[in-house]
Amino acid sequence: MSDEQQIELKTVGFDARFPQQNQTKHCYQSYIDYHKCITVKGEDFAPCKVFWKTYNSLCPSAWIEQWDDQRSNGTFPGNL
Amino acid sequence: MYFYQFTSGHHVATPNMEGIIELHNNVMFYLILILIFVSYVLYSIIKNDSNKIIEFESYIIPEDLLEDGQLRMLDVDASIVVPVDTHIRFIVSSADVLHDFCVPSLGIKIDAAPGRLNQTSALIQREGVYYGQCSELCGVFHSAMPIKVEAVSLYEFIN
């Protein structure tokens, strides 16, 4: 698990809100939560990083790019 | 029945009480032993991730480009490399139609649906190469969508 290089392999832990096989909402929810978090707390607030790691782990990069484009256009389908 | 408290801390000397004390000590011993094993097992569960996102596309090797020893309809140009003895989370989805991510030797068969993220996990205990094929009819090239999972040691994986 940790060599001399101190590399730790870890991923998003179990989230009781999404216990089953379908993790679509988990990905979507953490994307929204991250952006709400940085809006309220600012980009340097460290606990927001948890949401960032979650959605980067779970979501396909195509989805993330599409959502980023939608956000800059103002057409993102969700409350941010 | 009164219990006399001696200065040594041993409360009573009746056979009943001694038996109860012994039972209590035994139970506590085994309970703690079991708890130690359980916490060891829980601690050794980790999952696979890295701060870098690796993105790649993997295509089947056409027959005329096969080298000696490669498997027809199974070998790909970019295999999925994972470390052994590490819990791995697979998130499977699709960009166009329904597919199925199937690697029978790892006991994985998970549908890939567009707009949906399906999650499964695996723990590969042996190094080696594991093949699989798409298991959901997805068009003309459904038979030409193999999967190749390569399990390597943790050291090799990191480097």
Side-chain angles (χ1 to χ4, degrees):
Chain A
M1 192 175 81
S2 298
D3 300 341
E4 305 88 3
Q5 302 150 305
Q6 295 293 316
I7 294 187
E8 220 185 67
L9 296 180
K10 229 177 10 165
T11 186
V12 185
F14 173 71
D15 189 338
R17 298 173 297 169
F18 312 101
Q20 306 280 10
Q21 195 177 70
N22 189 359
Q23 297 288 301
T24 324
K25 262 295 170 56
H26 194 178
C27 143
Y28 181 63
Q29 195 61 50
S30 24
Y31 185 82
I32 290 183
D33 287 344
Y34 175 69
H35 288 98
K36 276 185 181 164
C37 185
I38 55 175
T39 314
V40 172
K41 295 282 187 181
E43 282 211 29
D44 296 324
F45 192 58
C48 287
K49 216 45 177 158
V50 171
F51 295 127
W52 186 87
K53 282 189 184 163
T54 306
Y55 85 75
N56 268 301
S57 265
L58 291 176
C59 303
S61 33
W63 290 17
I64 298 177
E65 282 164 20
Q66 185 193 26
W67 288 338
D68 287 341
D69 291 340
Q70 284 177 334
R71 267 193 311 120
S72 50
N73 283 340
T75 57
F76 183 74
N79 272 334
L80 275 182
Chain B
M1 179 69 95
Y2 294 111
F3 295 131
Y4 294 97
Q5 180 162 3
F6 298 104
T7 49
S8 66
H10 196 139
H11 284 235
V12 287
T14 65
N16 261 346
M17 201 55 194
E18 258 182 25
I20 292 172
I21 289 173
E22 203 183 304
L23 175 67
H24 169 269
N25 289 342
N26 274 333
V27 167
M28 288 311 292
F29 172 74
Y30 285 112
L31 199 62
I32 290 173
L33 206 60
I34 291 171
L35 279 173
I36 291 174
F37 278 120
V38 166
S39 51
Y40 172 71
V41 167
L42 285 175
Y43 177 72
S44 64
I45 290 179
I46 55 166
K47 289 210 172 138
N48 191 2
D49 188 29
S50 93
N51 287 326
K52 304 173 219 139
I53 297 172
I54 305 171
E55 235 182 274
F56 62 94
E57 285 180 1
S58 162
Y59 292 93
I60 190 177
I61 299 182
E63 267 186 63
D64 42 355
L65 295 178
L66 281 172
E67 292 165 23
D68 280 344
Q70 283 190 315
L71 301 172
R72 186 180 72 89
M73 301 296 278
L74 279 183
D75 262 312
V76 294
D77 53 3
S79 60
I80 305 170
V81 179
V82 285
V84 292
D85 293 330
T86 315
H87 285 267
I88 303 162
R89 167 197 256 126
F90 287 97
I91 304 263
V92 180
S93 182
S94 165
D96 50 359
V97 294
L98 289 180
H99 300 271
D100 197 289
F101 184 84
C102 177
V103 186
S105 28
L106 301 177
I108 297 175
K109 188 185 281 215
I110 200 101
D111 278 359
R116 183 182 170 105
L117 303 176
N118 281 327
Q119 169 184 276
T120 189
S121 82
L123 172 71
I124 306 177
Q125 291 172 313
R126 279 188 277 201
E127 285 182 37
V129 179
Y130 302 84
Y131 291 101
Q133 293 178 291
C134 176
S135 301
E136 181 72 37
L137 186 57
C138 44
V140 188
F141 293 109
H142 162 61
S143 55
M145 284 185 71
I147 300 148
K148 182 173 167 191
V149 178
E150 224 179 288
V152 296
S153 68
L154 203 54
Y155 180 74
E156 269 180 66
F157 179 74
I158 293 175
N159 299 332

